[in-house]
Amino acid sequence: MTTAPDTRFRRLREKGSKDFQLACDIIDEAKVCHVGFSVEEQPYVLPMAMARDGDHLLLHGSIASRLMKNLDSGLRCCVTITHIDGLVLARSAFNSSMHYRSVMIFGVAESVTAFDQKERGLNLLTDHLLPGRRADIRPSSRKEINATMLLSLPLETFTVKVGKAPPDDPAKDLESRAWAGVVPLQTKAGKPVPAPDLAEGTAIPPYVRKLR
Amino acid sequence: MTTAPDTRFRRLREKGSKDFQLACDIIDEAKVCHVGFSVEEQPYVLPMAMARDGDHLLLHGSIASRLMKNLDSGLRCCVTITHIDGLVLARSAFNSSMHYRSVMIFGVAESVTAFDQKERGLNLLTDHLLPGRRADIRPSSRKEINATMLLSLPLETFTVKVGKAPPDDPAKDLESRAWAGVVPLQTKAGKPVPAPDLAEGTAIPPYVRKLR
């Protein structure tokens, strides 16, 4: 028996939202998602690159991959994207938490088979992971595109959760001498490392440089 | 019907490993994991804080949480921890990838009910998320510990995947003038933001300061 996903917020309701634009912002800032599905009652959760195409989430992988075949078989999946934005240090462990933004998307992914749409979707993925990259490299060959599966998951059934409040300690804890507050966390790009076989004098392009 | 999880590596075998120490290192560096399970054939993937206690993974949450109740009901779960360490920019989109380290743990979580063990596990969680924090704040109260569920998942059935190679382009692509290499990515802590109700003059402790 298959039922609709239960997306009601029972707890921490104030952190829940079904706001589409917020979901898009969280997705657009992410490079990976965690894709969950079950095969014969065994759940699997796998990290995958992703991109957004309007109101769909795009995933890709080799046509030979078991993961892609599973996702293309009509299985229900849940795709979760999470940003950890900070550690919330309250005066007690109990009230400590994190700043985060997460989206959970429920649905069935469908394979994009029309060549032009697939090519377009794969190009979106390339530019999502590194804006500006697509125009700087050769177009993908027909063979490469044919060897890649592109899956599209509608952004229809989803939930958004955001935690961004400062620590909230009960009055009796305020006499604590412990420091309380938020330590922000952020993903940062380091110094680009050229490929060992990079032709001498090849400059780091602006769209890579500006990641730092 | 329930089957054992399929942890064989069919593809990218060179990236697969079952090395326990490597799994521990990946876990110890993470603040969150993604926990997947299915209820009535609907998969869910949720971000959760975690810590390692020897050869077990610890998860915690409110005793009132549906998630915790589900995980405590004997459901099979898959817990995945992923670090994205860099963007691998090859001369083609097809050969581009990421540097990453991930662990997938399969099993059934069990509730830790003995008070002393639970207290110890929760203390490990606090110090995992921020080493040094536990000693700086008041002990958790009996009421707080009783309101928290602690789950323990054995690190028995797991797989590790690591991608850390430079871009690997076919010879014909080496004449490309596009820059190729790796852009390292890392999570960094920003400047701590004091709680609005923090007593004036409360110094940022060394264990917070050194996160930067």
Side-chain angles (χ1 to χ4, degrees), chain A residues 55-77:
Chain A
D55 53 6
H56 283 74
L57 190 83
L58 301 179
L59 303 169
H60 77 315
S62 165
I63 53 168
S65 120
R66 174 175 40 144
L67 164 62
M68 296 303 285
K69 286 177 191 163
N70 274 322
L71 289 174
D72 189 35
S73 70
L75 272 185
R76 279 171 182 255
C77 67

Side-chain angles (χ1 to χ4, degrees), chain A residues 98-119:
Chain A
M98 292 190 202
H99 277 183
Y100 64 91
R101 289 165 293 147
S102 74
V103 189
M104 289 171 66
I105 307 155
F106 302 93
V108 175
E110 283 199 15
S111 181
V112 176
T113 51
F115 188 86
D116 290 358
Q117 283 181 44
K118 197 168 154 185
E119 183 176 36

